[in-house]
Amino acid sequence: MPSPGAPEPRLSRWAVAALAAAGVVLGVVLSQVIEARPALRTTSTLGAIDTVIVERKPFESALRTGGTVGAARSAMIRAPRMRGGRDRGGGGTLTIQSLAEPGSMVEKGELVAVFETRRTADMLDNYESALAQSRRRNASRKANMLASSESLRQAHRRAAAEAGKSQLDLRTAEVRSEIQAEILALVAKEREATSKQLEEEVRLSEIADAAETRSLDLDLQRDYLRFDRTKTDLDKMRIHSPVSGLVVAESTFKKDSFSQAAEGDQVHPGSYFLRIVDLSRMVVFADINQVDTQLVAIGSAVGVELDAYPGEVFEGRVASIGAVAVAGGSSGGGGKGMRGSKGGASADWVRKVPIEIEILSHDDRILPDLSASADIQLARRDDEMVVPRAAVGMSGGRAAVWVREGEAFVARPVEIGPLSDTEAVVLSGLTEGEIIAAQGLHDESMLVASKAD
C-alpha cells in the first residue's frame, strides 16, 4: 500500500499509445472475422437445403379430400326372418349350409347361400298334416250342423202345418159339441205354441251354427297361414343374388371375436352376413368443409389416388353433393365412417358436407373399402410459372422466394398469383430455369446473403 500523501502512479505516453494501437488492430481483426462468418456458414449449410428448378407448366387449383371406396350399387344379404313358428321374436339361430366363395363374381339370380332346412321341413310336414286334419274336421262338423239344422227346420215346418190345420178345425166348432170345440181350441193353441217354439229354436240354431262356422273357418285359416308361412320360410332358406357383382363376406360375432361368415356358422335371423357389390360403378365416399361447397360443382373433374397403389391416379368426377351439413370428425372421414364426437367436443363445431366421387376409370384393382384421396379440380391454367407453395415465404413484409446465386441464397420479392394446396403461380420476379430453395429460409443471419454482399 502506498504511504499516505504519496503521488499516484501514471502510465507513460508510450504505453497508452501502444494500448490504443493494439485495440485498433484487434477491432479490425474481429470485424474481418465477423464479415467472413455468414459466407462460411452459408457454404457449410448449402448442401443441406432442398432446391427446385423454376419451370413453366400447367397449373391446377384443386381441393383435396379423403374418403373410402365403395360401390354405388350393392345389396346387403341378411339371414331370413322366420314367420312359421321357428323365429319367435328373433330368438333362434340359423346355420349356414353353403355359401358363395368370397371374392367370386355372381350373376343376378344366382344362388349365393343355403341355410339348414331339415328342422323347417319337418315343421312344414307337421303343419301340412294338421291342416289336412282341420279340413276334414271342418267339413265333418259343417255337415253335421247342416243336417241338424235341416232336421230342426223340418220339425218346424210340420208344427206350422199342424198349427194351420188346427185353425181350420176351429171353424167347425159351431157344429160340434161344446166339449169337442174346447178340445179343438186347446189343440190349436198347443200346436201354435209348438210352432213358435220350433221357429225360435231354428233362429237360435242358425246363430249358433254361424258362430261355430266362423270359428271353424278361423281355425282352418290359422292352419293355412301357418302352413304357408312355413313353406315361405323354407323357400327363404335358399337365397339368390338380387344383383350381379362381387361376393363380400361380412364379419359376424363368433364366440369372443369377429370374423367373416363361413359355412357352418350360426347367425341370428335378420343379421347381415353377405354383401354383393356391383363393381361396374365405383365411388369414393368423402366429405368437404362447408365453406368449400361453393367452390365444388357436380361434374367437376377429380383425380383419385388409392393408398394401396401409390403413384396411380384414376379419373373421376363429382357425382353428388349432400344437401345438409353434418358434424365432422377427423379429416378424410369418408362419408361411411364415424362423424363427429361425443360430449360436445370441438369437432362438433366443424361442419362438413358429404359428397360422392364417381371413379370413371375401370380397373380391377379398384375394390370396396380401400382408402382414397381425391383432388377436385377447381381451376386450370395451361402455361404458368409454378413453384412449390412451401417455397414462398415473407421477407421485409413482402412475398419472396430464396434464389440460389453462387454459394448463397438471395431473398427475392415476387408477385404471387393463384394458389393450390401444394403449388403457387409466380406472376413476376422469377425466370424459368432458376434454382430456388424448396422451403422458405427464415434464418437470414445465417443463410441469406444480399446482392450488395
Side-chain angles (χ1 to χ4, degrees):
M1 295 292 292
S3 60
E8 294 181 1
R10 296 183 179 179
L11 294 177
S12 64
R13 294 180 180 178
W14 296 105
V16 173
L19 289 175
V24 172
V25 172
L26 182 59
V28 172
V29 173
L30 290 176
S31 176
Q32 291 178 353
V33 172
I34 292 174
E35 290 179 357
R37 286 177 63 189
L40 291 175
R41 291 179 181 176
T42 301
T43 302
S44 63
T45 57
L46 190 61
I49 299 175
D50 294 332
T51 60
V52 294
I53 299 176
V54 179
E55 58 180 340
R56 302 189 71 89
K57 63 178 184 179
F59 170 78
E60 291 185 358
S61 176
L63 176 67
R64 169 156 289 197
T65 183
T68 305
V69 177
R73 183 167 180 257
S74 62
M76 297 296 294
I77 308 298
R78 68 169 70 194
R81 286 195 175 277
M82 316 305 292
R83 301 185 61 200
R86 179 172 179 175
D87 177 23
R88 299 293 185 181
T93 57
L94 301 172
T95 303
I96 301 176
Q97 183 174 336
S98 65
L99 192 67
E101 185 68 23
S104 63
M105 300 296 295
V106 296
E107 298 295 330
K108 180 179 180 180
E110 187 175 340
L111 187 68
V112 293
V114 177
F115 288 91
E116 183 272 322
T117 60
R118 184 171 183 176
R119 181 181 174 187
T120 304
D122 291 343
M123 292 177 64
L124 183 64
D125 292 340
N126 294 336
Y127 291 150
E128 185 176 13
S129 176
L131 178 61
Q133 293 179 6
S134 295
R135 287 174 178 171
R136 290 193 296 268
R137 184 170 59 253
N138 189 297
S140 175
R141 181 55 186 156
K142 285 184 177 180
N144 292 335
M145 286 190 299
L146 182 61
S148 177
S149 176
E150 185 60 29
S151 176
L152 189 58
R153 289 190 181 92
Q154 288 287 350
H156 172 254
R157 285 193 290 269
R158 286 195 300 270
E162 291 177 354
K165 181 176 178 297
S166 297
Q167 292 296 326
L168 293 176
D169 291 341
L170 282 177
R171 295 179 181 180
T172 63
E174 296 179 355
V175 296
R176 293 177 182 271
S177 64
E178 184 177 351
I179 295 177
Q180 290 178 339
E182 186 66 23
I183 291 174
L184 289 176
L186 291 175
V187 171
K189 288 181 179 181
E190 181 182 0
R191 289 178 176 178
E192 183 67 24
T194 302
S195 176
K196 288 182 178 180
Q197 180 182 355
L198 291 174
E199 182 180 4
E200 182 65 16
E201 289 181 3
V202 169
R203 187 183 71 83
L204 294 176
S205 176
E206 289 177 351
I207 295 175
D209 290 347
E212 188 173 358
T213 300
R214 177 59 177 167
S215 177
L216 292 172
D217 291 341
L218 289 176
D219 290 342
L220 186 61
Q221 183 180 5
R222 179 199 60 195
D223 293 338
Y224 266 117
L225 289 176
R226 190 165 55 180
F227 173 78
D228 290 341
R229 287 177 176 178
T230 306
K231 187 175 184 302
T232 303
D233 290 343
L234 191 62
D235 296 337
K236 289 180 181 178
M237 296 294 190
R238 300 174 62 83
I239 300 179
H240 300 265
S241 175
V243 297
S244 300
L246 176 72
V247 178
V248 179
E250 293 294 312
S251 296
T252 59
F253 188 79
K254 303 177 185 178
K255 295 183 179 179
D256 56 352
S257 62
F258 284 91
S259 60
Q260 289 186 338
E263 295 180 359
D265 289 347
Q266 290 186 340
V267 294
H268 292 281
S271 61
Y272 292 107
F273 70 96
L274 203 65
R275 180 163 39 126
I276 309 298
V277 180
D278 184 1
L279 300 180
S280 62
R281 183 169 177 263
M282 302 297 290
V283 297
V284 176
F285 298 99
D287 48 33
I288 57 176
N289 195 289
Q290 59 182 349
V291 300
D292 295 325
T293 54
Q294 58 184 343
L295 304 176
V296 180
I298 294 179
S300 298
V302 182
V304 178
E305 298 182 15
L306 303 180
D307 296 339
Y309 311 110
E312 295 283 346
V313 180
F314 303 94
E315 183 182 358
R317 72 176 187 91
V318 177
S320 67
I321 302 175
V324 179
V326 295
S330 59
S331 60
K336 294 298 185 182
M338 297 177 62
R339 298 183 184 276
S341 56
K342 298 180 180 179
S346 58
D348 292 339
W349 299 97
V350 180
R351 312 302 291 183
K352 293 189 176 183
V353 176
I355 63 172
E356 291 185 10
I357 299 171
E358 181 181 1
I359 302 177
L360 301 179
S361 302
H362 295 283
D363 196 307
D364 293 338
R365 296 175 297 175
I366 303 176
L367 299 174
D369 298 331
L370 293 178
S371 57
S373 60
D375 292 321
I376 305 172
Q377 183 175 318
L378 304 179
R380 178 182 175 86
R381 298 189 180 189
D382 293 331
D383 187 21
E384 294 290 346
M385 196 81 69
V386 179
V387 299
R389 184 166 179 170
V392 181
M394 299 297 295
S395 179
R398 297 182 59 186
V401 296
W402 280 258
V403 183
R404 181 172 176 177
E405 294 186 1
E407 298 299 326
F409 286 91
V410 178
R412 184 183 298 177
V414 292
E415 183 182 356
I416 300 300
L419 300 172
S420 70
D421 289 343
T422 58
E423 296 180 325
V425 173
V426 178
L427 301 179
S428 62
L430 287 178
T431 58
E432 187 176 4
E434 289 188 296
I435 299 176
I436 64 172
Q439 292 184 342
L441 307 179
H442 302 291
D443 193 354
E444 298 185 7
S445 64
M446 295 181 60
L447 301 176
V448 180
S450 65
K451 289 185 176 181
D453 295 336

